[in-house]
């Protein structure tokens, strides 16, 4: 499209096929002419989806808004496979190379992913809370915001526990699972009964993929019901939310953990009901987060006095400097104001 930010695709063919391969949060498309001898050479594109990118198949005469790249069919009337990205956080680039800074895929390269994490625990990335480390694509390629909430919830791990503390315990479990006295069936049962965090980084995405494959309709490929049925924590009634140090919302139940941002307070649990939270309810919850309860504000002030204000990240904070005290209003005046308001006179009364 004229407003697309990606590069022009130098591939033109009257008849071609498209194949795809996913790795973590990237997807590689290969465009191949059906006439391999007389057609153009194959062209690879690697996509990142950002927050809102997706593919949609629709009539070419009814293109959706923000369809930034289109692949047309030869049928009559033609259809278009569109890369749709309303927020334009997604992108594509020419060539078949994956991003170098991304680690092994949690779905398709599980063993390599697991080894990459356990051998790298000295990295400063694991000094952060586990909820923030899980978004680091160098080690957790494919894990995003909803997956981190689901994984931590199932294991009852506070999201703001130190990542290294959580992951170093897996080394001991690894040794126990390699005990030569255990039979293969016992090892399998042990893994099934006591899955660890790295195993859930693989199995939880697979659950979502399997559910969507089973329930998806070719005409409604964005079947939200299949996704919603997999969720136990993310946007689920009864759960709370809290901003991490980068400002992203993490969903949780119970205590957040020792590394939770100072001055941030978990929002009240979502009301229990038949559906997930609505956009309007989210806005109301965000406004409530900016105005915490008075008791929480007092605790926050105490922390500020001891630790001093942090640079950056000012969400939910109050200024340390005290405002001048206001004169006490006599009780008779306060009563007069309340009476006037009830009568609808719009007057404040006089002392």
């Amino acid at each position: 499209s004229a407003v697309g930010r990606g590069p022009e695709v130098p591939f033109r063919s009257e008849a071609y096929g498209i194949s795809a391969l996913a790795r973590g949060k990237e997807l590689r498309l290969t465009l191949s002419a059906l006439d391999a001898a007389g057609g153009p050479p194959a062209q690879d594109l690697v996509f990142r989806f950002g927050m809102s990118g997706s593919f949609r198949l629709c009539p070419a005469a009814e293109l959706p808004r923000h369809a930034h790249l289109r692949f047309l069919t030869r049928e009559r009337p033609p259809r278009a496979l569109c890369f749709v990205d309303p927020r334009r956080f997604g992108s594509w680039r020419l060539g078949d190379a994956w991003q170098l800074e991304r680690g092994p895929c949690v779905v398709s390269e599980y063993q390599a992913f697991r080894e990459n994490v356990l051998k790298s625990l000295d990295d400063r990335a694991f000094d952060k809370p586990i909820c923030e480390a899980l978004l680091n694509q160098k080690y957790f390629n494919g894990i995003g915001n909803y997956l981190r909430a689901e994984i931590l919830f199932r294991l009852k791990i506070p999201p703001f526990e130190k990542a290294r503390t959580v992951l170093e315990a897996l080394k001991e479990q690894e040794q126990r699972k390699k005990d030569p006295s255990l039979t293969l069936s016992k090892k399998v049962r042990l893994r099934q009964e006591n899955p660890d965090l790295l195993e859930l980084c693989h199995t939880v995405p697979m659950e979502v993929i399997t559910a969507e494959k089973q329930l998806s309709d070719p005409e409604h490929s964005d079947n939200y019901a299949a996704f919603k049925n997999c969720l136990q924590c993310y946007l689920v009634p009864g759960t709370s939310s809290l901003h991490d140090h980068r400002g992203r919302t993490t969903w949780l139940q119970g205590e957040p953990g020792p590394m939770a941002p100072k001055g941030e307070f978990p929002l009240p649990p979502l009301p229990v009901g038949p559906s997930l939270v609505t956009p309007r309810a989210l806005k109301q919850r965000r406004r409530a987060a900016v105005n915490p309860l008075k008791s929480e504000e007092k605790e926050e002030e105490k922390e500020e006095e001891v630790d001093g204000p942090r640079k950056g990240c000012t969400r939910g904070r109050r200024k340390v400097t005290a405002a001048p005290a206001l004169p006490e209003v006599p009780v008779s005046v306060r009563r007069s104001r309340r009476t006037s308001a009830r009568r609808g006179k719009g007057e404040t009364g006089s002392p």
Side-chain angles (χ1 to χ4, degrees):
S1 70
V3 296
R5 296 180 178 177
E8 183 70 22
V9 180
F11 182 87
R12 298 292 183 275
S13 176
E14 288 299 318
Y16 63 97
I18 304 177
S19 59
L21 178 66
R23 183 177 185 268
K25 288 192 173 185
E26 294 184 292
L27 181 75
R28 182 167 67 206
L29 297 189
T30 300
L31 314 180
S32 305
L34 298 186
D35 181 6
Q43 175 67 61
D44 291 304
L45 306 170
V46 177
F47 287 80
R48 294 173 61 186
F49 291 86
M51 295 283 288
S52 59
S54 65
F55 278 97
R56 191 178 308 172
L57 186 63
C58 59
E62 302 174 12
L63 293 178
R65 295 184 62 190
H66 310 291
H68 299 306
L69 191 63
R70 305 93 180 244
F71 304 94
L72 301 177
T73 69
R74 297 189 66 189
E75 59 192 336
R76 292 291 177 266
R79 290 187 294 172
L81 177 66
C82 306
F83 178 64
V84 182
D85 186 18
R87 297 187 183 183
R88 301 190 196 179
F89 290 167
S91 63
W92 68 85
R93 62 184 184 277
L94 305 179
D96 62 354
W98 307 111
Q99 277 191 310
L100 294 177
E101 64 270 24
R102 289 181 179 269
C105 175
V106 297
V107 172
S108 61
E109 302 168 300
Y110 170 66
Q111 286 301 329
F113 148 72
R114 186 181 184 92
E115 293 169 5
N116 185 45
V117 172
L118 292 180
K119 75 179 183 182
S120 306
L121 293 182
D122 291 336
D123 194 310
R124 293 176 59 185
F126 299 102
D127 291 334
K128 296 181 178 181
I130 185 62
C131 66
E132 296 178 20
L134 282 171
L135 298 185
N136 187 333
Q137 301 301 294
K138 180 179 179 181
Y139 297 108
F140 297 90
N141 185 14
I143 300 300
N145 202 19
Y146 87 88
L147 284 171
R148 70 170 176 177
E150 295 297 309
I151 291 165
L152 296 175
F153 168 77
R154 295 192 187 190
L155 294 174
K156 303 297 184 251
I157 296 174
F160 291 94
E161 185 65 64
K162 191 173 184 178
R164 187 176 292 107
T165 302
V166 174
L167 293 168
E168 280 185 338
L170 302 188
K171 289 186 175 181
E172 298 179 6
Q173 296 181 24
E174 198 87 350
Q175 294 301 319
R176 288 199 299 270
K177 291 175 182 177
K178 293 180 179 179
D179 186 348
S181 63
L182 293 176
T183 63
L184 179 59
S185 60
K186 287 184 178 180
K187 290 180 180 179
V188 172
R189 187 167 66 251
L190 184 63
R191 281 205 171 102
Q192 291 175 341
E193 294 175 351
N194 302 284
D196 61 41
L197 184 140
L198 298 181
E199 288 171 345
L200 287 187
C201 286
H202 172 72
T203 58
V204 175
M206 289 301 299
E207 287 178 15
V208 179
I209 293 170
T210 302
E212 290 183 343
K213 283 182 178 179
Q214 291 175 346
L215 300 178
S216 63
D217 185 310
E219 298 299 323
H220 302 87
S221 57
D222 56 342
N223 192 330
Y224 185 62
F227 169 70
K228 189 176 74 171
N229 290 336
C230 295
L231 301 179
Q232 300 180 25
C233 178
Y234 181 78
L235 286 177
V236 172
T239 59
S240 302
S241 62
L242 183 66
H243 290 116
D244 63 21
H245 292 89
R246 299 188 63 182
R248 295 200 62 179
T249 303
T250 184
W251 297 84
L252 67 149
Q253 284 190 353
E255 293 298 320
M259 298 184 71
K262 294 177 181 177
E264 286 282 350
F265 303 89
L267 296 183
L270 295 176
V272 177
S275 61
L276 301 184
V277 66
T278 63
R280 181 178 179 182
L282 273 179
K283 290 181 180 178
Q284 292 173 345
R285 288 163 60 79
R286 291 192 186 103
R287 285 197 293 268
V290 178
N291 300 293
L293 299 175
K294 290 184 179 180
S295 59
E296 294 174 332
E297 289 181 324
K298 291 179 181 178
E299 291 298 323
E300 185 178 349
E301 281 186 332
K302 291 178 183 177
E303 291 176 358
E304 290 289 354
E305 290 173 1
V306 174
D307 299 333
R310 288 192 300 131
K311 293 182 179 179
C313 193
T314 57
R315 182 184 285 103
R317 294 188 173 276
R318 296 182 61 196
K319 293 183 178 179
V320 182
T321 55
L326 296 176
E328 178 67 21
V329 179
V331 175
S332 60
V333 174
R334 295 201 295 269
R335 288 175 179 167
S336 174
R337 289 175 179 171
R338 289 198 296 269
T339 303
S340 299
R342 285 197 298 269
R343 293 176 180 173
K345 293 180 179 181
E347 299 173 353
T348 59
S350 58

